[in-house]
Amino acid sequence: MTVVAPDARPLVGRTIRLDPAELHDADELFRALDHDEVWASGYANGFRPTAPIGWRRTMMSAVDKEDRTMYIVREIDRDTKAPGRIVGTTSLGDVDLINERVHLGWTAFTPDVWQTSVNPESKLLLLWHAFDHCGFGRVMFQTDSINARSQAAIAKLGATREGVLRRWVKRADGSWRDTVVFSVIRDEWPLIRSGLELRLS
């Protein structure tokens, strides 16, 4: 299978849909993530914007600079599939077509959907896109070492913990982040897909 870059197609599940982020989504996304616990766990290296205008500028400039596909995660009605509120964001980036790898990350959700089906379903949709549509052989996840909740969620997907990149990036407060790296490779995907589908059934 020829490996191709993510194409920003909408990805629709049972309870959520992922759509490419657009500038007009920024205010609602800002409100969804405007909680102390989102930023305290290391999202965006702890840089918390203080106003929607600054959030729009920061969000879009980062996406352009990093050349990644950023998605808005929105709830949908189970029966009608009508779109509801924005509950978070996630991305595919660091695309390497030659080595058949991509990074699934930049993920944050409003706290009231933590411990629900939102995170596993978003990961199922993006892994499906990465492996079955794009043909990647490896999907990487990474998170701040202080974010035990995120590490547990990634491990629960079935991803393999590969190790820690020490003093990897500077946080907004000037401290240094150790980054925990996980991955899923193509051979593992069918079993992980079955496990996620079972969790969501």
mmCIF file with all atom_site columns, all heavy atoms in Angstrom, residues 6-11 17-25 59-60 63 68-74 86 89-90:
data_model
loop_
_atom_site.group_PDB
_atom_site.id
_atom_site.type_symbol
_atom_site.label_atom_id
_atom_site.label_alt_id
_atom_site.label_comp_id
_atom_site.label_asym_id
_atom_site.label_entity_id
_atom_site.label_seq_id
_atom_site.pdbx_PDB_ins_code
_atom_site.Cartn_x
_atom_site.Cartn_y
_atom_site.Cartn_z
_atom_site.occupancy
_atom_site.B_iso_or_equiv
_atom_site.pdbx_formal_charge
_atom_site.auth_seq_id
_atom_site.auth_comp_id
_atom_site.auth_asym_id
_atom_site.auth_atom_id
_atom_site.pdbx_PDB_model_num
ATOM 1   N N   . PRO A 1 6  ? -2.192  12.318 5.854  1.00 0.00 ? 6  PRO A N   1
ATOM 2   C CA  . PRO A 1 6  ? -3.592  12.510 6.256  1.00 0.00 ? 6  PRO A CA  1
ATOM 3   C C   . PRO A 1 6  ? -4.251  13.568 5.383  1.00 0.00 ? 6  PRO A C   1
ATOM 4   O O   . PRO A 1 6  ? -3.635  14.591 5.061  1.00 0.00 ? 6  PRO A O   1
ATOM 5   C CB  . PRO A 1 6  ? -3.477  12.976 7.716  1.00 0.00 ? 6  PRO A CB  1
ATOM 6   C CG  . PRO A 1 6  ? -2.167  12.415 8.172  1.00 0.00 ? 6  PRO A CG  1
ATOM 7   C CD  . PRO A 1 6  ? -1.260  12.460 6.980  1.00 0.00 ? 6  PRO A CD  1
ATOM 8   N N   . ASP A 1 7  ? -5.495  13.320 4.991  1.00 0.00 ? 7  ASP A N   1
ATOM 9   C CA  . ASP A 1 7  ? -6.142  14.203 4.022  1.00 0.00 ? 7  ASP A CA  1
ATOM 10  C C   . ASP A 1 7  ? -7.224  15.083 4.628  1.00 0.00 ? 7  ASP A C   1
ATOM 11  O O   . ASP A 1 7  ? -7.992  15.713 3.913  1.00 0.00 ? 7  ASP A O   1
ATOM 12  C CB  . ASP A 1 7  ? -6.723  13.391 2.869  1.00 0.00 ? 7  ASP A CB  1
ATOM 13  C CG  . ASP A 1 7  ? -7.746  12.351 3.321  1.00 0.00 ? 7  ASP A CG  1
ATOM 14  O OD1 . ASP A 1 7  ? -8.183  12.403 4.493  1.00 0.00 ? 7  ASP A OD1 1
ATOM 15  O OD2 . ASP A 1 7  ? -8.116  11.491 2.495  1.00 0.00 ? 7  ASP A OD2 1
ATOM 16  N N   . ALA A 1 8  ? -7.287  15.131 5.948  1.00 0.00 ? 8  ALA A N   1
ATOM 17  C CA  . ALA A 1 8  ? -8.220  16.026 6.648  1.00 0.00 ? 8  ALA A CA  1
ATOM 18  C C   . ALA A 1 8  ? -9.686  15.734 6.343  1.00 0.00 ? 8  ALA A C   1
ATOM 19  O O   . ALA A 1 8  ? -10.538 16.605 6.464  1.00 0.00 ? 8  ALA A O   1
ATOM 20  C CB  . ALA A 1 8  ? -7.909  17.495 6.337  1.00 0.00 ? 8  ALA A CB  1
ATOM 21  N N   . ARG A 1 9  ? -9.997  14.501 5.974  1.00 0.00 ? 9  ARG A N   1
ATOM 22  C CA  . ARG A 1 9  ? -11.404 14.133 5.785  1.00 0.00 ? 9  ARG A CA  1
ATOM 23  C C   . ARG A 1 9  ? -12.129 14.120 7.125  1.00 0.00 ? 9  ARG A C   1
ATOM 24  O O   . ARG A 1 9  ? -11.512 13.797 8.160  1.00 0.00 ? 9  ARG A O   1
ATOM 25  C CB  . ARG A 1 9  ? -11.510 12.768 5.117  1.00 0.00 ? 9  ARG A CB  1
ATOM 26  C CG  . ARG A 1 9  ? -11.128 11.607 6.021  1.00 0.00 ? 9  ARG A CG  1
ATOM 27  C CD  . ARG A 1 9  ? -11.225 10.268 5.319  1.00 0.00 ? 9  ARG A CD  1
ATOM 28  N NE  . ARG A 1 9  ? -10.191 10.109 4.301  1.00 0.00 ? 9  ARG A NE  1
ATOM 29  C CZ  . ARG A 1 9  ? -10.154 9.084  3.448  1.00 0.00 ? 9  ARG A CZ  1
ATOM 30  N NH1 . ARG A 1 9  ? -11.077 8.144  3.493  1.00 0.00 ? 9  ARG A NH1 1
ATOM 31  N NH2 . ARG A 1 9  ? -9.177  9.003  2.559  1.00 0.00 ? 9  ARG A NH2 1
ATOM 32  N N   . PRO A 1 10 ? -13.416 14.436 7.163  1.00 0.00 ? 10 PRO A N   1
ATOM 33  C CA  . PRO A 1 10 ? -14.178 14.264 8.402  1.00 0.00 ? 10 PRO A CA  1
ATOM 34  C C   . PRO A 1 10 ? -14.203 12.784 8.794  1.00 0.00 ? 10 PRO A C   1
ATOM 35  O O   . PRO A 1 10 ? -14.306 11.903 7.939  1.00 0.00 ? 10 PRO A O   1
ATOM 36  C CB  . PRO A 1 10 ? -15.578 14.761 8.030  1.00 0.00 ? 10 PRO A CB  1
ATOM 37  C CG  . PRO A 1 10 ? -15.380 15.620 6.828  1.00 0.00 ? 10 PRO A CG  1
ATOM 38  C CD  . PRO A 1 10 ? -14.225 15.032 6.089  1.00 0.00 ? 10 PRO A CD  1
ATOM 39  N N   . LEU A 1 11 ? -14.108 12.524 10.080 1.00 0.00 ? 11 LEU A N   1
ATOM 40  C CA  . LEU A 1 11 ? -14.142 11.163 10.610 1.00 0.00 ? 11 LEU A CA  1
ATOM 41  C C   . LEU A 1 11 ? -15.307 11.086 11.582 1.00 0.00 ? 11 LEU A C   1
ATOM 42  O O   . LEU A 1 11 ? -15.320 11.786 12.600 1.00 0.00 ? 11 LEU A O   1
ATOM 43  C CB  . LEU A 1 11 ? -12.820 10.838 11.313 1.00 0.00 ? 11 LEU A CB  1
ATOM 44  C CG  . LEU A 1 11 ? -11.556 10.974 10.453 1.00 0.00 ? 11 LEU A CG  1
ATOM 45  C CD1 . LEU A 1 11 ? -10.297 10.865 11.307 1.00 0.00 ? 11 LEU A CD1 1
ATOM 46  C CD2 . LEU A 1 11 ? -11.539 9.934  9.336  1.00 0.00 ? 11 LEU A CD2 1
ATOM 47  N N   . ARG A 1 17 ? -17.624 13.308 16.160 1.00 0.00 ? 17 ARG A N   1
ATOM 48  C CA  . ARG A 1 17 ? -17.074 13.454 14.825 1.00 0.00 ? 17 ARG A CA  1
ATOM 49  C C   . ARG A 1 17 ? -15.842 14.354 14.905 1.00 0.00 ? 17 ARG A C   1
ATOM 50  O O   . ARG A 1 17 ? -15.773 15.251 15.754 1.00 0.00 ? 17 ARG A O   1
ATOM 51  C CB  . ARG A 1 17 ? -18.094 13.994 13.837 1.00 0.00 ? 17 ARG A CB  1
ATOM 52  C CG  . ARG A 1 17 ? -18.625 15.382 14.101 1.00 0.00 ? 17 ARG A CG  1
ATOM 53  C CD  . ARG A 1 17 ? -19.571 15.831 12.994 1.00 0.00 ? 17 ARG A CD  1
ATOM 54  N NE  . ARG A 1 17 ? -18.859 16.022 11.746 1.00 0.00 ? 17 ARG A NE  1
ATOM 55  C CZ  . ARG A 1 17 ? -19.313 15.640 10.542 1.00 0.00 ? 17 ARG A CZ  1
ATOM 56  N NH1 . ARG A 1 17 ? -20.497 15.074 10.432 1.00 0.00 ? 17 ARG A NH1 1
ATOM 57  N NH2 . ARG A 1 17 ? -18.601 15.858 9.444  1.00 0.00 ? 17 ARG A NH2 1
ATOM 58  N N   . LEU A 1 18 ? -14.899 14.088 14.047 1.00 0.00 ? 18 LEU A N   1
ATOM 59  C CA  . LEU A 1 18 ? -13.682 14.872 13.951 1.00 0.00 ? 18 LEU A CA  1
ATOM 60  C C   . LEU A 1 18 ? -13.697 15.598 12.612 1.00 0.00 ? 18 LEU A C   1
ATOM 61  O O   . LEU A 1 18 ? -13.817 14.964 11.562 1.00 0.00 ? 18 LEU A O   1
ATOM 62  C CB  . LEU A 1 18 ? -12.439 13.978 14.034 1.00 0.00 ? 18 LEU A CB  1
ATOM 63  C CG  . LEU A 1 18 ? -11.945 13.547 15.419 1.00 0.00 ? 18 LEU A CG  1
ATOM 64  C CD1 . LEU A 1 18 ? -13.014 12.796 16.189 1.00 0.00 ? 18 LEU A CD1 1
ATOM 65  C CD2 . LEU A 1 18 ? -10.691 12.687 15.283 1.00 0.00 ? 18 LEU A CD2 1
ATOM 66  N N   . ASP A 1 19 ? -13.588 16.918 12.680 1.00 0.00 ? 19 ASP A N   1
ATOM 67  C CA  . ASP A 1 19 ? -13.558 17.746 11.480 1.00 0.00 ? 19 ASP A CA  1
ATOM 68  C C   . ASP A 1 19 ? -12.298 18.597 11.496 1.00 0.00 ? 19 ASP A C   1
ATOM 69  O O   . ASP A 1 19 ? -11.831 19.002 12.577 1.00 0.00 ? 19 ASP A O   1
ATOM 70  C CB  . ASP A 1 19 ? -14.776 18.665 11.423 1.00 0.00 ? 19 ASP A CB  1
ATOM 71  C CG  . ASP A 1 19 ? -16.063 17.895 11.222 1.00 0.00 ? 19 ASP A CG  1
ATOM 72  O OD1 . ASP A 1 19 ? -16.208 17.285 10.155 1.00 0.00 ? 19 ASP A OD1 1
ATOM 73  O OD2 . ASP A 1 19 ? -16.920 17.904 12.132 1.00 0.00 ? 19 ASP A OD2 1
ATOM 74  N N   . PRO A 1 20 ? -11.741 18.891 10.327 1.00 0.00 ? 20 PRO A N   1
ATOM 75  C CA  . PRO A 1 20 ? -10.572 19.772 10.292 1.00 0.00 ? 20 PRO A CA  1
ATOM 76  C C   . PRO A 1 20 ? -10.873 21.092 10.996 1.00 0.00 ? 20 PRO A C   1
ATOM 77  O O   . PRO A 1 20 ? -11.939 21.679 10.796 1.00 0.00 ? 20 PRO A O   1
ATOM 78  C CB  . PRO A 1 20 ? -10.328 19.983 8.796  1.00 0.00 ? 20 PRO A CB  1
ATOM 79  C CG  . PRO A 1 20 ? -10.975 18.813 8.133  1.00 0.00 ? 20 PRO A CG  1
ATOM 80  C CD  . PRO A 1 20 ? -12.148 18.450 8.988  1.00 0.00 ? 20 PRO A CD  1
ATOM 81  N N   . ALA A 1 21 ? -9.948  21.547 11.835 1.00 0.00 ? 21 ALA A N   1
ATOM 82  C CA  . ALA A 1 21 ? -10.153 22.789 12.571 1.00 0.00 ? 21 ALA A CA  1
ATOM 83  C C   . ALA A 1 21 ? -10.185 23.982 11.623 1.00 0.00 ? 21 ALA A C   1
ATOM 84  O O   . ALA A 1 21 ? -9.401  24.066 10.684 1.00 0.00 ? 21 ALA A O   1
ATOM 85  C CB  . ALA A 1 21 ? -9.045  22.973 13.596 1.00 0.00 ? 21 ALA A CB  1
ATOM 86  N N   . GLU A 1 22 ? -11.102 24.875 11.892 1.00 0.00 ? 22 GLU A N   1
ATOM 87  C CA  . GLU A 1 22 ? -11.193 26.121 11.147 1.00 0.00 ? 22 GLU A CA  1
ATOM 88  C C   . GLU A 1 22 ? -11.189 27.284 12.130 1.00 0.00 ? 22 GLU A C   1
ATOM 89  O O   . GLU A 1 22 ? -11.511 27.121 13.313 1.00 0.00 ? 22 GLU A O   1
ATOM 90  C CB  . GLU A 1 22 ? -12.452 26.138 10.282 1.00 0.00 ? 22 GLU A CB  1
ATOM 91  C CG  . GLU A 1 22 ? -12.468 25.031 9.231  1.00 0.00 ? 22 GLU A CG  1
ATOM 92  C CD  . GLU A 1 22 ? -13.668 25.124 8.304  1.00 0.00 ? 22 GLU A CD  1
ATOM 93  O OE1 . GLU A 1 22 ? -14.376 26.153 8.339  1.00 0.00 ? 22 GLU A OE1 1
ATOM 94  O OE2 . GLU A 1 22 ? -13.901 24.159 7.561  1.00 0.00 ? 22 GLU A OE2 1
ATOM 95  N N   . LEU A 1 23 ? -10.817 28.448 11.641 1.00 0.00 ? 23 LEU A N   1
ATOM 96  C CA  . LEU A 1 23 ? -10.646 29.596 12.515 1.00 0.00 ? 23 LEU A CA  1
ATOM 97  C C   . LEU A 1 23 ? -11.912 29.897 13.314 1.00 0.00 ? 23 LEU A C   1
ATOM 98  O O   . LEU A 1 23 ? -11.850 30.247 14.496 1.00 0.00 ? 23 LEU A O   1
ATOM 99  C CB  . LEU A 1 23 ? -10.242 30.814 11.681 1.00 0.00 ? 23 LEU A CB  1
ATOM 100 C CG  . LEU A 1 23 ? -9.782  32.045 12.463 1.00 0.00 ? 23 LEU A CG  1
ATOM 101 C CD1 . LEU A 1 23 ? -8.601  31.711 13.355 1.00 0.00 ? 23 LEU A CD1 1
ATOM 102 C CD2 . LEU A 1 23 ? -9.422  33.178 11.507 1.00 0.00 ? 23 LEU A CD2 1
ATOM 103 N N   . HIS A 1 24 ? -13.080 29.700 12.718 1.00 0.00 ? 24 HIS A N   1
ATOM 104 C CA  . HIS A 1 24 ? -14.322 30.037 13.429 1.00 0.00 ? 24 HIS A CA  1
ATOM 105 C C   . HIS A 1 24 ? -14.617 29.076 14.579 1.00 0.00 ? 24 HIS A C   1
ATOM 106 O O   . HIS A 1 24 ? -15.512 29.335 15.392 1.00 0.00 ? 24 HIS A O   1
ATOM 107 C CB  . HIS A 1 24 ? -15.509 30.093 12.458 1.00 0.00 ? 24 HIS A CB  1
ATOM 108 C CG  . HIS A 1 24 ? -15.805 28.797 11.774 1.00 0.00 ? 24 HIS A CG  1
ATOM 109 N ND1 . HIS A 1 24 ? -16.470 27.768 12.390 1.00 0.00 ? 24 HIS A ND1 1
ATOM 110 C CD2 . HIS A 1 24 ? -15.519 28.365 10.519 1.00 0.00 ? 24 HIS A CD2 1
ATOM 111 C CE1 . HIS A 1 24 ? -16.587 26.745 11.548 1.00 0.00 ? 24 HIS A CE1 1
ATOM 112 N NE2 . HIS A 1 24 ? -16.029 27.082 10.404 1.00 0.00 ? 24 HIS A NE2 1
ATOM 113 N N   . ASP A 1 25 ? -13.887 27.946 14.670 1.00 0.00 ? 25 ASP A N   1
ATOM 114 C CA  . ASP A 1 25 ? -14.070 27.008 15.789 1.00 0.00 ? 25 ASP A CA  1
ATOM 115 C C   . ASP A 1 25 ? -13.339 27.458 17.049 1.00 0.00 ? 25 ASP A C   1
ATOM 116 O O   . ASP A 1 25 ? -13.582 26.917 18.132 1.00 0.00 ? 25 ASP A O   1
ATOM 117 C CB  . ASP A 1 25 ? -13.515 25.623 15.416 1.00 0.00 ? 25 ASP A CB  1
ATOM 118 C CG  . ASP A 1 25 ? -14.233 24.979 14.254 1.00 0.00 ? 25 ASP A CG  1
ATOM 119 O OD1 . ASP A 1 25 ? -15.479 25.045 14.225 1.00 0.00 ? 25 ASP A OD1 1
ATOM 120 O OD2 . ASP A 1 25 ? -13.550 24.415 13.369 1.00 0.00 ? 25 ASP A OD2 1
ATOM 121 N N   . MET A 1 59 ? -3.189  29.079 18.236 1.00 0.00 ? 59 MET A N   1
ATOM 122 C CA  . MET A 1 59 ? -3.593  27.789 17.686 1.00 0.00 ? 59 MET A CA  1
ATOM 123 C C   . MET A 1 59 ? -3.253  27.691 16.205 1.00 0.00 ? 59 MET A C   1
ATOM 124 O O   . MET A 1 59 ? -2.619  26.735 15.761 1.00 0.00 ? 59 MET A O   1
ATOM 125 C CB  . MET A 1 59 ? -5.093  27.587 17.877 1.00 0.00 ? 59 MET A CB  1
ATOM 126 C CG  . MET A 1 59 ? -5.624  26.295 17.266 1.00 0.00 ? 59 MET A CG  1
ATOM 127 S SD  . MET A 1 59 ? -7.409  26.072 17.522 1.00 0.00 ? 59 MET A SD  1
ATOM 128 C CE  . MET A 1 59 ? -8.095  27.293 16.421 1.00 0.00 ? 59 MET A CE  1
ATOM 129 N N   . MET A 1 60 ? -3.649  28.679 15.433 1.00 0.00 ? 60 MET A N   1
ATOM 130 C CA  . MET A 1 60 ? -3.467  28.583 13.992 1.00 0.00 ? 60 MET A CA  1
ATOM 131 C C   . MET A 1 60 ? -2.010  28.739 13.575 1.00 0.00 ? 60 MET A C   1
ATOM 132 O O   . MET A 1 60 ? -1.545  28.080 12.652 1.00 0.00 ? 60 MET A O   1
ATOM 133 C CB  . MET A 1 60 ? -4.338  29.621 13.281 1.00 0.00 ? 60 MET A CB  1
ATOM 134 C CG  . MET A 1 60 ? -5.821  29.318 13.415 1.00 0.00 ? 60 MET A CG  1
ATOM 135 S SD  . MET A 1 60 ? -6.224  27.630 12.842 1.00 0.00 ? 60 MET A SD  1
ATOM 136 C CE  . MET A 1 60 ? -7.960  27.534 13.240 1.00 0.00 ? 60 MET A CE  1
ATOM 137 N N   . VAL A 1 63 ? -0.315  25.354 14.213 1.00 0.00 ? 63 VAL A N   1
ATOM 138 C CA  . VAL A 1 63 ? -0.686  24.344 13.226 1.00 0.00 ? 63 VAL A CA  1
ATOM 139 C C   . VAL A 1 63 ? 0.057   24.577 11.915 1.00 0.00 ? 63 VAL A C   1
ATOM 140 O O   . VAL A 1 63 ? 0.601   23.647 11.306 1.00 0.00 ? 63 VAL A O   1
ATOM 141 C CB  . VAL A 1 63 ? -2.215  24.346 12.990 1.00 0.00 ? 63 VAL A CB  1
ATOM 142 C CG1 . VAL A 1 63 ? -2.580  23.452 11.813 1.00 0.00 ? 63 VAL A CG1 1
ATOM 143 C CG2 . VAL A 1 63 ? -2.944  23.890 14.239 1.00 0.00 ? 63 VAL A CG2 1
ATOM 144 N N   . ARG A 1 68 ? 0.651   20.166 10.564 1.00 0.00 ? 68 ARG A N   1
ATOM 145 C CA  . ARG A 1 68 ? -0.129  19.033 11.047 1.00 0.00 ? 68 ARG A CA  1
ATOM 146 C C   . ARG A 1 68 ? -1.605  19.232 10.721 1.00 0.00 ? 68 ARG A C   1
ATOM 147 O O   . ARG A 1 68 ? -2.051  20.339 10.446 1.00 0.00 ? 68 ARG A O   1
ATOM 148 C CB  . ARG A 1 68 ? 0.063   18.827 12.543 1.00 0.00 ? 68 ARG A CB  1
ATOM 149 C CG  . ARG A 1 68 ? -0.352  19.986 13.431 1.00 0.00 ? 68 ARG A CG  1
ATOM 150 C CD  . ARG A 1 68 ? -0.063  19.664 14.892 1.00 0.00 ? 68 ARG A CD  1
ATOM 151 N NE  . ARG A 1 68 ? -0.036  20.816 15.753 1.00 0.00 ? 68 ARG A NE  1
ATOM 152 C CZ  . ARG A 1 68 ? -1.053  21.237 16.487 1.00 0.00 ? 68 ARG A CZ  1
ATOM 153 N NH1 . ARG A 1 68 ? -2.201  20.569 16.477 1.00 0.00 ? 68 ARG A NH1 1
ATOM 154 N NH2 . ARG A 1 68 ? -0.951  22.306 17.262 1.00 0.00 ? 68 ARG A NH2 1
ATOM 155 N N   . THR A 1 69 ? -2.339  18.127 10.769 1.00 0.00 ? 69 THR A N   1
ATOM 156 C CA  . THR A 1 69 ? -3.778  18.164 10.556 1.00 0.00 ? 69 THR A CA  1
ATOM 157 C C   . THR A 1 69 ? -4.448  18.213 11.921 1.00 0.00 ? 69 THR A C   1
ATOM 158 O O   . THR A 1 69 ? -4.407  17.244 12.677 1.00 0.00 ? 69 THR A O   1
ATOM 159 C CB  . THR A 1 69 ? -4.247  16.925 9.772  1.00 0.00 ? 69 THR A CB  1
ATOM 160 O OG1 . THR A 1 69 ? -3.557  16.871 8.530  1.00 0.00 ? 69 THR A OG1 1
ATOM 161 C CG2 . THR A 1 69 ? -5.739  16.990 9.524  1.00 0.00 ? 69 THR A CG2 1
ATOM 162 N N   . MET A 1 70 ? -5.045  19.355 12.233 1.00 0.00 ? 70 MET A N   1
ATOM 163 C CA  . MET A 1 70 ? -5.701  19.548 13.517 1.00 0.00 ? 70 MET A CA  1
ATOM 164 C C   . MET A 1 70 ? -7.202  19.330 13.346 1.00 0.00 ? 70 MET A C   1
ATOM 165 O O   . MET A 1 70 ? -7.812  19.854 12.419 1.00 0.00 ? 70 MET A O   1
ATOM 166 C CB  . MET A 1 70 ? -5.440  20.969 14.019 1.00 0.00 ? 70 MET A CB  1
ATOM 167 C CG  . MET A 1 70 ? -6.122  21.293 15.328 1.00 0.00 ? 70 MET A CG  1
ATOM 168 S SD  . MET A 1 70 ? -5.762  22.988 15.838 1.00 0.00 ? 70 MET A SD  1
ATOM 169 C CE  . MET A 1 70 ? -6.630  23.025 17.407 1.00 0.00 ? 70 MET A CE  1
ATOM 170 N N   . TYR A 1 71 ? -7.760  18.539 14.250 1.00 0.00 ? 71 TYR A N   1
ATOM 171 C CA  . TYR A 1 71 ? -9.184  18.239 14.219 1.00 0.00 ? 71 TYR A CA  1
ATOM 172 C C   . TYR A 1 71 ? -9.894  18.869 15.413 1.00 0.00 ? 71 TYR A C   1
ATOM 173 O O   . TYR A 1 71 ? -9.346  18.941 16.520 1.00 0.00 ? 71 TYR A O   1
ATOM 174 C CB  . TYR A 1 71 ? -9.426  16.729 14.279 1.00 0.00 ? 71 TYR A CB  1
ATOM 175 C CG  . TYR A 1 71 ? -8.938  15.965 13.083 1.00 0.00 ? 71 TYR A CG  1
ATOM 176 C CD1 . TYR A 1 71 ? -7.653  15.446 13.043 1.00 0.00 ? 71 TYR A CD1 1
ATOM 177 C CD2 . TYR A 1 71 ? -9.775  15.752 11.983 1.00 0.00 ? 71 TYR A CD2 1
ATOM 178 C CE1 . TYR A 1 71 ? -7.196  14.731 11.938 1.00 0.00 ? 71 TYR A CE1 1
ATOM 179 C CE2 . TYR A 1 71 ? -9.331  15.045 10.882 1.00 0.00 ? 71 TYR A CE2 1
ATOM 180 C CZ  . TYR A 1 71 ? -8.042  14.539 10.864 1.00 0.00 ? 71 TYR A CZ  1
ATOM 181 O OH  . TYR A 1 71 ? -7.593  13.838 9.776  1.00 0.00 ? 71 TYR A OH  1
ATOM 182 N N   . ILE A 1 72 ? -11.121 19.274 15.182 1.00 0.00 ? 72 ILE A N   1
ATOM 183 C CA  . ILE A 1 72 ? -12.045 19.637 16.246 1.00 0.00 ? 72 ILE A CA  1
ATOM 184 C C   . ILE A 1 72 ? -12.877 18.399 16.564 1.00 0.00 ? 72 ILE A C   1
ATOM 185 O O   . ILE A 1 72 ? -13.386 17.737 15.661 1.00 0.00 ? 72 ILE A O   1
ATOM 186 C CB  . ILE A 1 72 ? -12.966 20.788 15.792 1.00 0.00 ? 72 ILE A CB  1
ATOM 187 C CG1 . ILE A 1 72 ? -12.160 22.060 15.575 1.00 0.00 ? 72 ILE A CG1 1
ATOM 188 C CG2 . ILE A 1 72 ? -14.095 21.015 16.787 1.00 0.00 ? 72 ILE A CG2 1
ATOM 189 C CD1 . ILE A 1 72 ? -11.484 22.601 16.823 1.00 0.00 ? 72 ILE A CD1 1
ATOM 190 N N   . VAL A 1 73 ? -13.004 18.068 17.844 1.00 0.00 ? 73 VAL A N   1
ATOM 191 C CA  . VAL A 1 73 ? -13.808 16.923 18.270 1.00 0.00 ? 73 VAL A CA  1
ATOM 192 C C   . VAL A 1 73 ? -15.146 17.453 18.764 1.00 0.00 ? 73 VAL A C   1
ATOM 193 O O   . VAL A 1 73 ? -15.203 18.275 19.675 1.00 0.00 ? 73 VAL A O   1
ATOM 194 C CB  . VAL A 1 73 ? -13.103 16.131 19.382 1.00 0.00 ? 73 VAL A CB  1
ATOM 195 C CG1 . VAL A 1 73 ? -13.934 14.907 19.772 1.00 0.00 ? 73 VAL A CG1 1
ATOM 196 C CG2 . VAL A 1 73 ? -11.698 15.709 18.947 1.00 0.00 ? 73 VAL A CG2 1
ATOM 197 N N   . ARG A 1 74 ? -16.202 16.979 18.138 1.00 0.00 ? 74 ARG A N   1
ATOM 198 C CA  . ARG A 1 74 ? -17.542 17.481 18.423 1.00 0.00 ? 74 ARG A CA  1
ATOM 199 C C   . ARG A 1 74 ? -18.472 16.308 18.742 1.00 0.00 ? 74 ARG A C   1
ATOM 200 O O   . ARG A 1 74 ? -18.429 15.269 18.089 1.00 0.00 ? 74 ARG A O   1
ATOM 201 C CB  . ARG A 1 74 ? -18.071 18.240 17.206 1.00 0.00 ? 74 ARG A CB  1
ATOM 202 C CG  . ARG A 1 74 ? -19.371 18.983 17.434 1.00 0.00 ? 74 ARG A CG  1
ATOM 203 C CD  . ARG A 1 74 ? -19.875 19.619 16.154 1.00 0.00 ? 74 ARG A CD  1
ATOM 204 N NE  . ARG A 1 74 ? -19.030 20.698 15.683 1.00 0.00 ? 74 ARG A NE  1
ATOM 205 C CZ  . ARG A 1 74 ? -19.105 21.960 16.102 1.00 0.00 ? 74 ARG A CZ  1
ATOM 206 N NH1 . ARG A 1 74 ? -19.992 22.286 17.022 1.00 0.00 ? 74 ARG A NH1 1
ATOM 207 N NH2 . ARG A 1 74 ? -18.316 22.889 15.604 1.00 0.00 ? 74 ARG A NH2 1
ATOM 208 N N   . ILE A 1 86 ? -18.522 21.405 20.767 1.00 0.00 ? 86 ILE A N   1
ATOM 209 C CA  . ILE A 1 86 ? -17.112 21.047 20.675 1.00 0.00 ? 86 ILE A CA  1
ATOM 210 C C   . ILE A 1 86 ? -16.633 20.644 22.060 1.00 0.00 ? 86 ILE A C   1
ATOM 211 O O   . ILE A 1 86 ? -16.866 21.351 23.045 1.00 0.00 ? 86 ILE A O   1
ATOM 212 C CB  . ILE A 1 86 ? -16.287 22.233 20.142 1.00 0.00 ? 86 ILE A CB  1
ATOM 213 C CG1 . ILE A 1 86 ? -16.599 22.474 18.663 1.00 0.00 ? 86 ILE A CG1 1
ATOM 214 C CG2 . ILE A 1 86 ? -14.789 21.978 20.338 1.00 0.00 ? 86 ILE A CG2 1
ATOM 215 C CD1 . ILE A 1 86 ? -15.921 23.697 18.077 1.00 0.00 ? 86 ILE A CD1 1
ATOM 216 N N   . THR A 1 89 ? -9.906  18.735 21.022 1.00 0.00 ? 89 THR A N   1
ATOM 217 C CA  . THR A 1 89 ? -9.121  18.761 19.789 1.00 0.00 ? 89 THR A CA  1
ATOM 218 C C   . THR A 1 89 ? -8.073  17.656 19.829 1.00 0.00 ? 89 THR A C   1
ATOM 219 O O   . THR A 1 89 ? -7.668  17.199 20.896 1.00 0.00 ? 89 THR A O   1
ATOM 220 C CB  . THR A 1 89 ? -8.432  20.129 19.616 1.00 0.00 ? 89 THR A CB  1
ATOM 221 O OG1 . THR A 1 89 ? -7.679  20.135 18.406 1.00 0.00 ? 89 THR A OG1 1
ATOM 222 C CG2 . THR A 1 89 ? -7.480  20.432 20.770 1.00 0.00 ? 89 THR A CG2 1
ATOM 223 N N   . THR A 1 90 ? -7.646  17.237 18.644 1.00 0.00 ? 90 THR A N   1
ATOM 224 C CA  . THR A 1 90 ? -6.579  16.258 18.499 1.00 0.00 ? 90 THR A CA  1
ATOM 225 C C   . THR A 1 90 ? -5.988  16.418 17.104 1.00 0.00 ? 90 THR A C   1
ATOM 226 O O   . THR A 1 90 ? -6.588  17.085 16.254 1.00 0.00 ? 90 THR A O   1
ATOM 227 C CB  . THR A 1 90 ? -7.106  14.816 18.738 1.00 0.00 ? 90 THR A CB  1
ATOM 228 O OG1 . THR A 1 90 ? -6.012  13.905 18.807 1.00 0.00 ? 90 THR A OG1 1
ATOM 229 C CG2 . THR A 1 90 ? -8.092  14.392 17.668 1.00 0.00 ? 90 THR A CG2 1
#
